[in-house]
């Protein structure tokens, strides 16, 4: 379905002639903030600023999430083509082609039209301007106020001015002066002191035989400039006025005619051009567009030099981009194209001094070497004098520092300078940096195929794997293609096998002249001792991201020193910082860093072992601190793994920050567990998996957790530590429960309870009973679970442990609810909610609110249920746990269905079901399938309902969830009845009745009996 996003005029989404209502002004502004950066990541802080300026509400992030949720609902008007809003760490991105956003497409058309006009391709320029005009629907973000909205309107207003100017210049260059007047007239009225506009309008009026109007316009503009700015008008206005008085043809008065006359090379002046050979190009479209616009925007200026700095890691394609850009813009720089290599990445060559570099520049411009001064100041003065009236493009390649570049800048000149460097170059006047990253996968594949040429057959899947092995680094991709070209008998499959045959990719990525190892060595040698050590130790960190504290643990440096060195490595493009204080390193650079460690030349085996063990201790100690705050209900075994090298993270102060840390470091924690499995002792592994059990369980890593927890329980049994064994069994029980392995969970909980009783530890026994009761409840054994929880509550009320009292009451309320004891259930939930609120336990508050909502729903009060669910959602959003959020969305969808909003319910089910499957919660999966079936039945689709219910029944029976089985059988009977299958409906109801009786669920039993009587009556009739 075709759709477009409009920011011009009212902010809205249009698809197939329909318009989606985005709702409130803040929601529309949120959508505009995402759409303007379509395809790019926008940080949460940036969005908050765009929506609320400097005065965000107290819970801005929660409010932002609400607006995002509304937008996701509105986007469904586009059907299957609806773009996704992807939530990343502390950011969002609207994944859509920018050309689907009218203003983005508008600005792109104008930029390309300007480029075509500069290149003399005027027909193409006009076509693009016509398309841009068709996208304009009025003032951007109409009806929306705020500083960001005003800034956007201002920026687009400048683009609008450029569009009109470009159209006018094309018309004027073609001699269509009459057509140019209505284009320029409103611009001059809006910008009365813009001399360039007045100059062009005067020529258009003069060329349309409206000489008197042209003269009055020039006089009025000069007077306004003097009055408003305090300066005399520029030379252009005087030149046009004199030309009109002298009867000069209008075409000869155009600025382009003057520029052409001024920029015609003098016969005696050498026009240097020592650019390296250009190559067929792939990718870097955005960077080329940005650089082209920057280098061409000052055409004809003589008071400013344009400086562009292209920086990035070795092999990322900085020089290639600069050279391709220079070839592409050859006609824009008629006075020459100069390439000067500054030797920043040549280990066998000393970088030239500024004096040597200036001497070479002047020699390229035709000055004899023997005539050049020797002093740097004199060379600088001569260079700036020679370049003053030349429109050249100078590439200063592979610069080492800002100090090396500063004397080479030509001062007041129309010359443009492009600097490439492996380092960021702060302190250059007017520099506009372009930071190169690796190529997107599709561009890397295009580069590989382009280097091979059309005569070689390639397998697209092989090419995709090859460029992935190359880390999408352009130099690595080119080297891989070069190897294939050199081996005429090889196919892409042969090359792929060669690259993947060994772990050392760097050894395989070489050709006759180039090796990645040598490219990276240049950057490494340029570092000082501290920087080299940190770089090598980063190679020991195998996680995708890392923070400064992890590297401090690996190096033994203080946190301040580590942060300083990481910033220095960032400036050298040896690490990157995708989000604040979170660093990454390119895979090939990591391989290189690790290879430096493995040589043993600098780091001994003992050094490496101590560093890695220090990293492990760091992660486990911080995880222990985070776990105790995030999951305070767990019964714990104390650590005895030695002190960490760094202090625990001070930013982990509450459950929310603790859970945030666990989520951010989840990949690293799994890597640490894997290291312990392969290299640690059984004791280290048992302690560590106990520390991480809550995280593994709550974040859905059940498959990884189960065998490790069984191994931990076996270890504690072997060493005779019964307390630690009971706690390991408790951890294992929780994982079994959330994995819907209820028989195993019940057996494990009873085993743990028996150990606790033998120890006489009532507190530990109470926790074992709690875990046992959860599994009994989830298998429908309510009458067994109730006395256990009542006995446990009686004991806990004698203690001061408010958290465990609240958890016990909450679970007892759930059991009462299933036994249709609603009054007792509400009392338990109310008391539990009060206790959770008093101690500030967010997870408990979420659970209690969710349970209150369930009670309202069962009592036939869906509106009250939705209110309670949404209160729970506010709490769940702060917790960030995927299972809890998914379950809550599941419950909200059920209420929506009850309230007749079936389409909304099905959409929400569609989001929720994959999450529940991903975290391995099969009981929740069965509940979701049952409710999806209900929604289809409500929508009059009984056959689809039957399909969902049958799938749910298979899951419930596989995991022995009797309570859910009773629900599924009842819904299955309703669907069979609606489909006209009365006999099958009766059979299902009889099964439902038997299951409900076996688990002691009177409400479910009465419900099934009533419907069974009705259906049997129909059958008899």
């Amino acid at each position: 379905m075709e759709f477009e996003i409009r920011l011009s005029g009212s902010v809205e989404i249009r698809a197939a002639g329909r318009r989606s209502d985005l709702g409130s002004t803040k929601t529309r502004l949120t959508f505009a903030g995402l759409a303007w950066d379509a395809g790019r990541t926008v940080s949460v802080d940036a969005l908050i600023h765009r929506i609320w300026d400097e005065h965000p509400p107290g819970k801005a992030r929660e409010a932002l999430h609400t607006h995002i949720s509304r937008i996701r609902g509105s986007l469904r008007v586009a059907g299957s083509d609806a773009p996704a809003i992807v939530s990343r760490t502390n950011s969002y991105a609207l994944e859509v082609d920018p050309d689907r956003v009218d203003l983005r497409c508008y600005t792109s058309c104008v930029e390309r039209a300007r480029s075509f006009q500069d290149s003399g391709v005027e027909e193409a320029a006009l076509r693009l301007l016509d398309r841009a005009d068709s996208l304009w629907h009025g003032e951007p973000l109409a009806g929306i106020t705020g500083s960001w909205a005003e800034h956007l309107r201002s920026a687009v207003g400048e683009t609008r001015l450029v569009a009109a100017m470009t159209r006018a210049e094309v018309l004027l260059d073609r001699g269509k002066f009459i057509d140019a007047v209505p284009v320029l007239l409103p611009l001059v009225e809006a910008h009365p002191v813009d001399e360039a506009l007045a100059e062009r309008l005067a020529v258009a009026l003069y060329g349309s035989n409206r000489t008197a109007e042209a003269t009055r316009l020039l006089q009025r503009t000069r007077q306004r400039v003097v009055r408003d700015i305090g300066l005399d008008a520029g030379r252009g206005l005087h030149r046009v006025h004199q030309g009109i008085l002298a009867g000069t043809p209008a075409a000869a008065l155009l600025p382009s005619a003057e520029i052409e006359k001024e920029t015609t090379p003098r016969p005696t002046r050498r026009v240097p051009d020592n650019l390296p050979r250009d190559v067929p190009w792939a990718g870097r479209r955005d960077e080329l567009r940005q650089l082209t616009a920057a280098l061409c925007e000052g055409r004809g200026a003589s008071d400013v030099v344009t400086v562009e700095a292209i920086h990035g890691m070795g092999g990322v394609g900085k020089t290639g981009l600069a050279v391709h850009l220079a070839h592409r813009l050859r006609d824009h720089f008629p006075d020459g194209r100069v390439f000067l290599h500054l030797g920043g990445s040549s280990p066998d060559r000393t970088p030239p001094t500024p004096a040597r570099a200036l001497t070479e520049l002047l020699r390229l411009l035709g000055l004899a070497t023997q005539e050049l001064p020797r002093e740097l100041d004199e060379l600088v003065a001569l260079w700036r004098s020679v370049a003053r009236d030349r429109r050249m493009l100078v590439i200063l390649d592979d610069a080492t520092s800002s100090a090396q570049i500063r004397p080479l800048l030509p001062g007041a000149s129309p010359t443009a300078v492009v600097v490439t460097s492996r380092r960021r170059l702060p302190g250059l006047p007017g520099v506009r940096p372009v930071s190169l990253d690796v190529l997107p996968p599709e561009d890397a594949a295009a580069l590989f195929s382009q280097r091979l040429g059309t005569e070689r057959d390639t397998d697209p899947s092989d090419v995709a794997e090859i460029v992935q092995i190359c880390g999408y680094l352009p130099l690595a991709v080119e080297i891989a293609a070069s190897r294939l070209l050199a081996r005429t008998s090889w196919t892409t499959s042969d090359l792929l096998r060669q690259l993947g045959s060994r772990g050392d990719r760097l050894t395989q990525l070489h050709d006759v002249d180039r090796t990645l190892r040598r490219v990276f060595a240049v950057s490494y040698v340029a570092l000082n001792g501290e920087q080299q050590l940190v770089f090598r130790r980063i190679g020991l960190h195998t996680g995708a991201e890392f923070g400064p504290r992890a590297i401090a643990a690996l190096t033994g440096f203080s946190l301040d020193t580590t942060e300083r060195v990481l910033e220095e490595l960032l400036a050298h493009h040896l690490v990157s910082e995708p989000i604040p204080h979170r660093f990454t390193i390119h895979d090939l650079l990591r391989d290189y860093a690790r290879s430096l460690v493995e040589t043993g030349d600098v780091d001994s085996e003992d050094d490496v072992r101590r560093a890695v063990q220090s990293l492990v201790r760091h992660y486990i100690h911080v995880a222990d601190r985070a776990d105790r705050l995030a999951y305070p209900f767990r019964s714990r075994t104390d650590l005895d793994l030695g002190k960490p090298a760094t202090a625990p993270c001070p930013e982990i102060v509450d459950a929310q920050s603790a859970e945030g840390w666990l989520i951010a470091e989840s990949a690293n924690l799994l890597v640490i567990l894997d290291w312990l499995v392969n290299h640690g002792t059984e004791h280290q592994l048992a302690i560590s998996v106990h520390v991480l059990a809550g995280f593994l369980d709550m974040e859905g890593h059940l498959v990884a957790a189960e065998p490790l927890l069984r191994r931990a329980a076996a270890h504690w049994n072997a060493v005779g530590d019964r307390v630690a064994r009971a706690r390991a069994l408790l951890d294992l029980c929780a994982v079994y429960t959330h994995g819907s392995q209820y028989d195993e969970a019940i057996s494990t909980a009873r085993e743990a309870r028996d150990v606790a009783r033998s120890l006489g530890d009532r507190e530990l026994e109470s926790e074992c009973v709690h875990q046992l009761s959860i599994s009994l409840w989830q298998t429908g054994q309510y009458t067994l679970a109730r006395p256990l929880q009542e006995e446990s509550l009686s004991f806990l009320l004698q203690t001061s442990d408010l958290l465990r009292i609240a958890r016990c009451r909450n679970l007892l309320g759930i059991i009462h609810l299933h036994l249709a004891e609603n009054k007792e259930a509400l009392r338990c939930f109310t008391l539990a909610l009060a206790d959770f609120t008093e101690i500030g336990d967010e997870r408990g508050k979420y659970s209690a609110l969710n349970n209150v909502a369930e009670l309202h729903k069962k009592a036939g009060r869906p509106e009250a249920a939705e209110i309670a669910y949404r209160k729970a959602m506010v709490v769940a959003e702060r917790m960030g746990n995927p299972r809890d959020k998914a379950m809550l969305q599941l419950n909200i969808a059920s209420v929506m269905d009850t309230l007749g909003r079936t389409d909304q319910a099905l959409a929400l089910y569609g989001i929720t079901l994959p999450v529940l499957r991903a975290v391995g919660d099969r009981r929740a999966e069965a509940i979701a399938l049952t409710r999806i079936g209900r929604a289809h039945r409500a929508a009059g689709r009984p056959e689809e309902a039957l399909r969902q219910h049958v799938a749910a029944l298979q899951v419930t029976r596989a995991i022995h969830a009797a309570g859910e089985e009773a629900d599924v059988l009842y819904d299955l009977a309703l669907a069979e009845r609606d489909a006209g299958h009365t006999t099958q409906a009766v059979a299902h109801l009889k099964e439902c009745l038997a299951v409900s009786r076996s688990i002691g669920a009177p409400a479910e039993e009465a419900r099934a009996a009533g419907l069974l009587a009705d259906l049997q009556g129909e059958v008899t009739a």
Side-chain angles (χ1 to χ4, degrees), residues 448 452 456 476-491 494-495 498-499 501-502 504-512 514:
F448 181 86
L452 284 183
R456 295 292 288 268
V477 172
E478 290 189 8
I479 289 174
S482 174
R483 287 201 70 186
L484 188 56
L485 282 171
R487 310 294 287 268
T488 55
S489 63
W490 280 16
T491 65
D494 295 317
L495 176 62
Q498 186 69 20
L499 293 176
S501 61
R502 306 176 199 170
D504 187 2
R505 292 176 290 179
L506 291 176
T507 302
Q508 298 299 320
L509 287 170
H510 68 84
D511 58 18
V512 176
R514 300 170 295 180

Side-chain angles (χ1 to χ4, degrees), residues 697 702 705-707 709-711 728-749 751 771 774-775 778 883 920-923 959:
D697 177 30
L702 306 181
E706 182 191 331
L709 287 167
R710 282 195 274 105
R711 187 167 161 180
L729 291 170
L730 276 176
D731 295 335
L732 183 58
C733 176
V735 168
Y736 278 143
T737 300
H738 285 135
S740 303
Q741 297 174 261
Y742 297 119
D743 289 345
E744 293 87 345
I746 291 170
S747 172
T748 304
E751 185 180 356
Q771 288 295 333
I774 290 174
S775 299
Q778 293 188 334
R883 181 191 292 113
D921 193 335
R922 301 210 69 200
R923 174 177 171 272
I959 62 175

Side-chain angles (χ1 to χ4, degrees), residues 620 641 672-678 680-691 707-709 711-712 715-716:
I620 297 303
L641 298 178
I672 291 299
L673 268 183
D674 186 61
W675 185 90
L676 286 164
V677 167
N678 293 292
T681 66
E682 285 298 304
H683 182 75
Q684 288 175 321
L685 178 62
I687 285 287
S688 300
V689 75
H690 170 68
V691 166
L708 297 180
L709 287 167
R711 187 167 161 180
H715 166 73
W716 297 123

Side-chain angles (χ1 to χ4, degrees), residues 61 67 112 176 195 405 441 464 635 676 879 897 904 948:
R61 288 174 180 261
H67 292 307
R112 289 158 56 204
K176 297 183 177 181
E195 296 180 46
I405 291 296
S635 181
L676 286 164
M879 292 170 9
D897 188 26
Q904 294 179 40
Q948 300 293 335

